Amino acid sequence: MGLSSAQAFTIITALSFLLLFLHKILSPWVELPRLPEQWLAFRSGLAWTIFKDRVVFSEDMVLDHESGFAIISSDPGRVSWNALWGRSHASQRHGQLLLYDYSGSGSLREIDLVNFPTTSGFHPLGVGLYREEENSHARLFVVNQGQDKSCVEVMDLDYENARAVHVCSVTDNNHTIRSPNSVSPVSYTSFYVTNDQCLIRRRHPFLSFTERVLGLPLGWVTFVDFSIPYKPICTIVAGGIPFANGILVTPTGKEVLVASTSTDIVRIYERDPETDALSRKYSSVYMTFHPETLSFDRSLDKDDLTVFNSSGKFLRGVVATGSPDAGRLFCMAKNPHGCVAPSVVAEIRRRNGPDLGPFPGSLFNLHTKYYAQTLFADDGTFYPSSTSGDMDSKRGRLIVSGLYADGLLNIIWDPKETRH
């Protein structure tokens, strides 16, 4: 017979207090992984931090390769309001979206939110971008982490005037969009969104900690179709995922990748483009760090047989970003300038190959068909707490944001060169 709800609650509560006690005792003795102070995979690469005084607490960012703009989510109030780590006091400061012209003038502008609901707070987490075809308008999908409930905000972008016109807020009253983290759109009116936890912190502060630390498989992926206004159709398409975080639909639409942050695994599901269903079985990439977000180098040509095979499965181009030290991230959540967490950015590729980085991006496993090549690694001294990275290899750019870092990490190289 299975455990009753009361028995399960009691067991998880006891484990929560035990883990909190062990964390308090052991955390001072945890040392940083042996990462270098900045390592780049690009021979001609240069890296420096930009906008230190303007970009803070950036969970996610996305590149629009067609226009050469980066859209960055930033929440200056995250130090007081954090649904996962650190404090959870109501924040009077709202988040913002920033527009970085990385391929042109290099300017950074705050995006004006037009028609945004005045009754809603704005605390952005994951962002996703959709464009139907070249020269069509860009639509932005933003996870908004509310204090009472969370949703996905949908906005149409106007780059020239740095505006985002609010279209709608998508929610289903905490049923299948309960703890949204990352979003990946597949059309102007549909998207996949991860739910990182079942036991959300605003309701179960101790139990949610246990769920994360133990890697309990309680996260899931929801597919949302909101083509009928005010009546979104929400369907759970993948479940049993420990801390489901970053999500990515590949440009061909044949695969969906999900980062399980607490288990250091990136899951790869096959996708049916006709029904949007995901396969029950999945492949696993075993990372050496906690993957937070996933992106794809969309400057690559979909018809290039070194990028996608004849079945539309990716061969290269997937970028995973995270940190190998959750303890240091937790420390930075409580005191962003009191300690540093290391950073790793790696490209996931099919088949097997070498990784010349001093801190390999993935673990060797005989049963996996994938591996990761390190693009950037740092012990946190140069740029800490990386959570998002997106690459434009045709322009020779890799831009990284850090959840508790000041500014963006800007990496440039000669696109014609080969990597280390």
Side-chain angles (χ1 to χ4, degrees):
M1 295 179 62
L3 294 175
S4 67
S5 298
Q7 289 173 323
F9 184 89
T10 301
I11 292 172
I12 295 178
T13 301
L15 287 172
S16 296
F17 282 107
L18 176 60
L19 287 170
L20 284 171
F21 173 76
L22 290 175
H23 178 268
K24 189 73 174 178
I25 296 298
L26 298 177
S27 58
W29 304 97
V30 176
E31 296 184 357
L32 278 170
R34 294 182 178 179
L35 271 75
E37 183 182 341
Q38 187 192 148
W39 184 88
L40 297 176
F42 315 101
R43 296 182 186 277
S44 63
L46 297 173
W48 69 97
T49 305
I50 56 177
F51 308 125
K52 283 188 175 183
D53 58 340
R54 299 185 60 188
V55 179
V56 293
F57 304 124
S58 176
E59 167 86 8
D60 201 3
M61 51 83 60
V62 61
L63 301 187
D64 186 338
H65 298 80
E66 294 290 344
S67 64
F69 284 98
I71 301 97
I72 304 143
S73 72
S74 176
D75 190 357
R78 190 176 302 281
V79 70
S80 60
W81 169 249
N82 190 324
L84 296 176
W85 304 103
R87 302 166 183 155
S88 58
H89 304 300
S91 173
Q92 300 301 317
R93 303 185 67 182
H94 291 293
Q96 58 187 346
L97 298 174
L98 301 169
L99 187 65
Y100 171 38
D101 184 1
Y102 74 90
S103 68
S105 67
S107 64
L108 181 73
R109 294 178 288 171
E110 182 175 353
I111 296 176
D112 182 24
L113 304 184
V114 180
N115 297 333
F116 194 83
T118 57
T119 56
S120 300
F122 188 51
H123 297 283
L125 288 180
V127 295
L129 185 73
Y130 183 78
R131 184 194 293 275
E132 189 72 44
E133 56 188 17
E134 188 176 353
N135 298 324
S136 60
H137 80 276
R139 175 163 284 186
L140 191 68
F141 297 73
V142 184
V143 172
N144 186 6
Q145 181 190 71
Q147 295 176 3
D148 298 318
K149 64 179 180 180
S150 299
C151 65
V152 177
E153 309 287 3
V154 183
M155 314 176 194
D156 286 334
L157 288 169
D158 175 359
Y159 291 131
E160 183 177 355
N161 298 300
R163 303 194 317 162
V165 181
H166 190 264
V167 176
C168 63
S169 301
V170 181
T171 182
D172 69 345
N173 295 317
N174 289 329
H175 293 300
T176 68
I177 307 178
R178 182 184 306 172
S179 55
N181 193 306
S182 296
V183 59
S184 186
V186 293
S187 76
Y188 285 117
T189 57
S190 60
F191 58 85
Y192 293 91
V193 59
T194 55
N195 289 264
D196 49 45
Q197 292 192 262
C198 177
L199 303 170
I200 53 180
R201 189 178 179 217
R202 60 177 173 260
R203 295 182 181 178
H204 310 284
F206 294 111
L207 303 187
S208 67
F209 179 82
T210 304
E211 181 181 340
R212 290 196 305 276
V213 174
L214 292 183
L216 300 180
L218 302 179
W220 68 92
V221 175
T222 299
F223 177 75
V224 180
D225 181 347
F226 62 100
S227 55
I228 301 176
Y230 310 110
K231 290 185 179 180
I233 300 173
C234 303
T235 308
I236 295 177
V237 292
I241 307 172
F243 200 93
N245 200 334
I247 187 167
L248 167 69
V249 181
T250 59
T252 60
K254 295 297 183 68
E255 294 167 296
V256 172
L257 288 79
V258 181
S260 173
T261 302
S262 58
T263 58
D264 300 349
I265 290 175
V266 174
R267 297 186 178 194
I268 303 176
Y269 296 87
E270 294 187 8
R271 173 177 178 264
D272 185 340
E274 298 296 325
T275 65
D276 300 298
L278 303 186
S279 59
R280 290 182 177 271
K281 295 183 179 180
Y282 57 87
S283 299
S284 297
V285 188
Y286 301 89
M287 314 300 288
T288 56
F289 57 95
H290 311 305
E292 292 272 350
T293 63
L294 301 169
S295 65
F296 197 90
D297 181 359
R298 294 181 184 271
S299 69
L300 299 174
D301 189 348
K302 286 196 296 184
D303 297 325
D304 187 339
L305 291 179
T306 70
V307 180
F308 291 96
N309 63 21
S310 58
S311 300
K313 305 294 183 63
F314 83 92
L315 301 176
R316 60 188 178 99
V318 173
V319 177
T321 306
S323 175
D325 196 326
R328 298 286 174 169
L329 277 176
F330 182 67
C331 176
M332 291 192 75
K334 296 189 295 182
N335 183 5
H337 297 100
C339 51
V340 294
S343 299
V344 177
V345 183
E347 181 187 4
I348 296 175
R349 294 189 167 199
R350 218 177 207 98
R351 305 191 185 97
N352 292 309
D355 184 355
L356 301 180
F359 188 85
S362 61
L363 295 173
F364 175 74
N365 190 297
L366 290 173
H367 304 290
T368 186
K369 299 177 290 184
Y370 309 88
Y371 74 104
Q373 285 189 344
T374 304
L375 301 175
F376 169 78
D378 179 61
D379 64 2
T381 304
F382 185 75
Y383 192 81
S385 69
S386 64
T387 52
S388 178
D390 206 346
M391 184 161 60
D392 185 340
S393 58
K394 285 192 176 180
R395 291 185 174 98
R397 297 296 289 273
L398 173 62
I399 302 174
V400 182
S401 70
L403 183 56
Y404 303 110
D406 294 327
L408 298 173
L409 179 65
N410 194 38
I411 301 173
I412 65 171
W413 70 92
D414 182 353
K416 298 178 182 178
E417 78 164 26
T418 57
R419 297 180 194 168
H420 281 302

